[in-house]
Amino acid sequence: MTDINKFLADIQKSVKIGRQKNGGKSDYNLLRDDLLTLFARNASDVGELANSVFEHWENAHVRCSQDLAYEPSEENQRLLAAYLAFLQSGDEYQDLISADDWAEFARLVNFEAEELDVGILQDLMGILVSKGAY
């Protein structure tokens, strides 16, 4: 299990380094691959499901932003941490996850079910059932 607050600190560190490399300006497109790597590494137990969940976060919450220079916003950073906590069967920040997100997670878990460890699959499905995603 990853300490979710450490994950958030790692995101903020990546954002800061990205700004330094880009003349003090933020640019999500330059930061994206680092964030995906960080997320996938911390959610390695779920394999490709981590990439799918990250892509959902990016498409549903980041890419629709008015200005990608300000992404990931603090709210979206916490949301990504909530997504990671879910993948680790944790409950940190789950109040940030919407009903639409839970429904998408159910779809993604179903799609990746054959590739997941049975124990992990049971944990994720238990959370999804408790959240009304099924």
Side-chain angles (χ1 to χ4, degrees), residues 13-31:
K13 182 178 178 181
S14 290
V15 169
K16 183 179 178 181
I17 291 169
R19 284 184 187 142
Q20 289 172 343
K21 289 180 179 178
N22 194 35
K25 296 179 184 176
S26 292
D27 185 344
Y28 176 75
N29 293 317
L30 297 176
L31 182 63

Side-chain angles (χ1 to χ4, degrees), residues 47-102:
E48 288 298 314
L49 179 59
N51 292 338
S52 298
V53 168
F54 182 90
E55 287 176 14
H56 166 69
W57 169 79
E58 181 178 54
N59 292 330
H61 302 285
V62 175
R63 293 281 179 201
C64 61
S65 173
Q66 297 274 337
D67 189 354
L68 284 180
Y70 295 103
E71 292 296 338
S73 65
E74 286 186 32
E75 179 182 339
N76 282 334
Q77 291 175 34
R78 286 191 305 276
L79 187 58
L80 187 60
Y83 286 11
L84 176 62
F86 161 69
L87 292 177
Q88 296 178 336
S89 302
D91 60 1
E92 293 93 335
Y93 301 110
Q94 282 193 355
D95 58 319
L96 301 177
I97 301 174
S98 71
D100 289 341
D101 290 334
W102 289 119

Side-chain angles (χ1 to χ4, degrees), residues 3-17:
D3 177 8
I4 296 301
N5 289 324
K6 180 180 180 331
F7 175 72
L8 280 169
D10 289 345
I11 290 174
Q12 292 165 355
K13 182 178 178 181
S14 290
V15 169
K16 183 179 178 181
I17 291 169

